[in-house]
Amino acid sequence: MKEKCQWCIKHAETLNFWGNLSISSFLMFCAIFSNSRALFADAIHTCADVILALFLVFSVKYSNAPADKEHPYGHGKLEFISSLICGISIFTVGIIISTTSILAILRGELLIPKLIAVPAVIISIAGNELLFRYLICAGEKGKSPALISAAWENRADVYSSIAAFIGITGAMLGFPIMDPIAAIIIGIIIIRIAISVLRDAIKGIMETSLDSQATATLKNMVAGFEAVKGIDIIHARKAGRKILIEIEILVDPLLTINEGKLLTEKIKTKIEKKFSNPLTTRSSLPPLGIASIAAFLEENGISVKIIDASVLQLTFSKLIQILKKLRPSVIGITAQTQNIHQSIKAANIIKSELSEIPIVLGGPHPTILPRQTLEASSSIDFVVIGEGEITSLELVNAINSNQDF
């Protein structure tokens, strides 16, 4: 990205605030002395922009804050939340302006605007159009939904000022009803813009997947590595300016842990070079013990599927869906002392849905406390003590051949 673009993106929120503050102050000053309802509506609309621009400065700042323990994917949704509040505020202003203008017509409260209103709206049109072009460019280059929504807010100001200009000049030419009619039109324009902003904000908060072409490109990039034997899971979605990507790949079981780590770093680097958006990528390898058992079983002709529920952030319902689809002959669960209760809970839920499949617990906790682990739940059929390669192979072979163990 060009240095000039980076500067524009960095300072867009601040310049938007001061630009809107200048325009709104000027319009409000002129509206007080102009007797124009349309100009006053236009000034109120721009004043709302000032408040929203100030809110935008803080929302964009905090949405760019680095990920932390409570927010491992960062704070990108803050921008969509900002856009949502922006849309609600704009919608409210539009309703108020329209209803008050309709009431003015019904009550016969029609005034002839003074000449000062004409140059005021002309300056407003020019100023807001300049802000729109600047913000839409910065928003699109920086992939910022908040900046883009702010840009369209300024374009709404342009339309409302044009409507105000027509209403004011018409009223000054002897048709005073045109001034409140212009204010109503301004209100409708504001409402339409608000609906568009709200729709995009809600869509962003709910998260959206990458389009099919981008997803296909992502798959081809990963599949292009010789060590990648297949792609099991690929999740890519947008959150604010960021793209969140999670990929689970299949590799040669003889691949060492260090080689696996190097491969994931190469894949991450290639993806980050391709996509211009800031990325949040997560990569992990299964625990060494599980990987070792899986490799040993694969070498002996037994197909193994490792599901790292923690990394994939799977709910129990999603885990059950995957297991029902796979229908394994045996399910193994690793258990450490700090997560033994979660492992037992997983065993209970799985057994309630797939009662015919034996469940095996292994890992540090069952090794130290085998009897207590086995007696902790009737859902646990076996525990494996210590190094589990040979025991797991014998157990699986016995189960698959209906032999006693």
Side-chain angles (χ1 to χ4, degrees):
M1 189 181 294
K2 295 180 180 179
E3 186 176 344
K4 181 180 179 181
C5 291
Q6 291 177 340
W7 188 94
C8 288
I9 294 169
K10 182 179 179 181
H11 296 87
E13 301 89 8
T14 304
L15 292 175
N16 179 46
F17 170 74
W18 288 110
N20 277 297
L21 180 62
S22 300
I23 294 172
S24 64
S25 299
F26 174 71
L27 283 179
M28 188 58 72
F29 174 81
C30 294
I32 292 172
F33 299 99
S34 68
N35 291 333
S36 171
R37 188 173 294 275
L39 184 60
F40 183 75
D42 200 19
I44 291 295
H45 184 200
T46 310
C47 285
D49 291 347
V50 175
I51 298 172
L52 296 172
L54 184 62
F55 184 77
L56 177 63
V57 172
F58 291 102
S59 69
V60 172
K61 176 183 177 181
Y62 287 108
S63 69
N64 288 327
D68 52 40
K69 185 177 180 180
E70 294 183 355
H71 306 91
Y73 289 104
H75 305 78
K77 285 191 177 181
L78 273 176
E79 287 198 54
F80 287 116
I81 295 172
S82 170
S83 295
L84 181 65
I85 295 173
C86 177
I88 293 172
S89 302
I90 297 168
F91 186 84
T92 303
V93 169
I95 292 295
I96 292 172
I97 290 173
S98 298
T99 53
T100 54
S101 299
I102 291 172
L103 290 172
I105 294 175
L106 295 176
R107 294 168 181 169
E109 298 173 354
L110 306 178
L111 301 173
I112 303 297
K114 295 182 179 179
L115 186 60
I116 191 175
V118 177
V121 291
I122 293 175
I123 293 173
S124 175
I125 291 169
N128 280 299
E129 181 63 20
L130 285 173
L131 279 175
F132 166 77
R133 297 192 180 197
Y134 167 63
L135 290 173
I136 198 70
C137 179
E140 290 176 351
K141 293 286 186 181
K143 309 295 182 183
S144 171
L147 285 179
I148 292 173
S149 68
W152 284 106
E153 242 300 276
N154 286 106
R155 174 53 65 86
D157 286 340
V158 173
Y159 294 149
S160 66
S161 293
I162 291 173
F165 176 78
I166 294 171
I168 290 167
T169 53
M172 293 177 69
L173 291 174
F175 304 95
I177 196 173
M178 289 189 65
D179 187 56
I181 288 176
I184 295 171
I185 294 172
I186 292 170
I188 294 171
I189 292 171
I190 293 170
I191 291 169
R192 285 192 62 186
I193 294 293
I195 292 172
S196 176
V197 172
L198 285 170
R199 184 172 56 246
D200 291 342
I202 292 170
K203 187 177 178 181
I205 289 173
M206 295 177 67
E207 295 188 355
T208 55
S209 300
L210 292 183
D211 58 68
S212 56
Q213 183 177 355
T215 303
T217 300
L218 188 59
K219 287 183 178 179
N220 292 334
M221 289 172 59
V222 177
F225 287 86
E226 186 177 351
V228 176
K229 304 303 180 184
I231 301 174
D232 221 11
I233 295 173
I234 180 165
H235 294 151
R237 62 192 189 277
K238 297 178 181 178
R241 302 187 191 192
K242 293 185 177 182
I243 295 177
L244 309 179
I245 298 174
E246 296 179 58
I247 303 173
E248 183 176 325
I249 59 174
L250 304 177
V251 298
D252 192 318
L254 298 179
L255 200 71
T256 66
I257 296 296
N258 286 335
E259 289 171 337
K261 289 182 178 179
L262 181 61
L263 174 62
T264 57
E265 288 302 319
K266 287 181 178 179
I267 292 173
K268 286 173 62 177
T269 300
K270 188 172 182 179
I271 292 173
E272 287 167 356
K273 286 182 179 179
K274 176 66 177 179
F275 291 89
S276 58
N277 302 62
L279 296 175
T280 296
T281 55
R282 295 185 65 180
S283 62
S284 66
L285 295 168
L288 183 58
I290 296 176
S292 178
I293 293 172
F296 185 76
L297 292 176
E298 292 274 4
E299 287 176 1
N300 285 274
I302 298 173
S303 177
V304 179
K305 168 69 177 178
I306 297 177
I307 302 173
D308 198 331
S310 176
V311 170
L312 297 176
Q313 297 185 321
L314 298 179
T315 61
F316 282 119
S317 60
K318 182 63 176 177
L319 178 60
I320 293 298
Q321 289 178 15
I322 295 172
L323 292 174
K324 284 183 176 180
K325 184 177 180 181
L326 293 173
R327 284 289 170 180
S329 59
V330 183
I331 295 173
I333 302 174
T334 186
Q336 299 179 352
T337 301
Q338 64 266 28
N339 68 357
I340 183 60
H341 296 296
Q342 192 75 354
S343 298
I344 293 173
K345 181 179 179 181
N348 290 335
I349 293 174
I350 293 170
K351 183 63 76 172
S352 68
E353 297 288 337
L354 300 164
S355 58
E356 73 282 4
I357 300 177
I359 295 178
V360 183
L361 254 65
H365 190 88
T367 296
I368 297 172
L369 300 170
R371 181 174 295 278
Q372 290 89 329
T373 302
L374 193 59
E375 293 175 350
S377 172
S378 59
S379 300
I380 303 169
D381 299 296
F382 305 95
V383 295
V384 174
I385 302 171
E387 300 296 330
E389 286 82 356
I390 296 176
T391 304
S392 296
L393 176 61
E394 293 175 348
L395 178 60
V396 172
N397 283 333
I399 291 172
N400 287 342
S401 58
N402 294 319
Q403 297 177 2
D404 291 334
F405 186 81

